[in-house]
Amino acid sequence: RKEVEQDPGPFNVPEGATVAFNCTYSNSASQSFFWYRQDCRKEPKLLMSVYSSGNEDGRFTAQLNRASQYISLLIRDSKLSDSATYLCGRGCGGGGNKLTFGTGTQLKVEL
Amino acid sequence: DADVTQTPRNRITKTGKRIMLECSQTKGHDRMYWYRQDPGLGLRLIYYSFDVKDINKGEISDGYSVSRQAQAKFSLSLESAIPNQTALYFCATSAGIAGGGTDTQYFGPGTRLTVL
């Protein structure tokens, strides 16, 4: 099993829809999680970090389920500009600072 | 101005050539990383450095070497490039939890390398 797994998608949703992606991880010692947004051929940019049960930033909500070892990203009221690939990363913390990334989930928001 | 810069942004080279990719940062971070990204494989860690005197191999270090010339500079070398090293290469930095920061990583704009 890969350390971090994501459904590659694509998720095709209409503008205004709510969409959720999951990211599963295999290392129960993982202490920190990140969602990055990556546009085509560009660098990943931090969307949000999660150190406890979850985080919320406007239309974006991340929720961590440690018992089932997954983290989700919920996007409400999808915009065309949300179309991108969303990368999940997990760190072990403890000063280690290495992150392991999933392969990303592609989102396409359509009119 | 960008906090993390990479040069060159694009490079086409031939098999067997030595190539150096450079990364500079103005974020004052101690920790720097080199990743490659391939379609369907995601970001894979090549090397990382937690300070100027600390260099560590990542999951795919074979065929690569690095140099941490200063806190702000971390370069990646391909000693003898081969076609399967064609990829998008990213440099990243983080402040480090021990230094009162977090393990959030910030990425440079990437270098697209093609080896013919």
Side-chain angles (χ1 to χ4, degrees), chain A residues 82-94:
Chain A
D82 293 334
S83 297
T85 295
Y86 291 84
L87 301 175
C88 170
R90 74 112 182 112
C92 284

Side-chain angles (χ1 to χ4, degrees), chain B residues 11-19 36 38 60-64 77-87 89 113-116:
Chain B
R11 182 73 184 267
I12 300 173
T13 191
K14 294 182 178 179
T15 297
K17 295 291 187 181
R18 184 177 189 275
I19 298 297
R36 66 177 280 175
D38 301 273
I60 53 163
S61 59
D62 287 349
Y64 301 94
S77 294
L78 287 66
E79 299 301 325
S80 179
I82 56 177
N84 77 1
Q85 291 178 312
T86 293
Y89 289 84
L113 177 66
T114 302
V115 183
L116 302 175

Side-chain angles (χ1 to χ4, degrees), chain B residues 9 16 25 31 37-38 40 42 45 47 54-55 61 65-66 70 73 76 78 82 87 90-91 95 103 107-109:
Chain B
R9 295 293 311 278
Q25 53 111 348
R31 304 184 175 204
Q37 188 174 40
D38 301 273
L45 184 63
Y47 270 96
D54 177 80
I55 301 289
S61 59
S65 62
V66 291
K73 296 183 182 296
L76 175 72
L78 287 66
I82 56 177
F90 288 107
C91 172
D103 45 2
F107 288 82

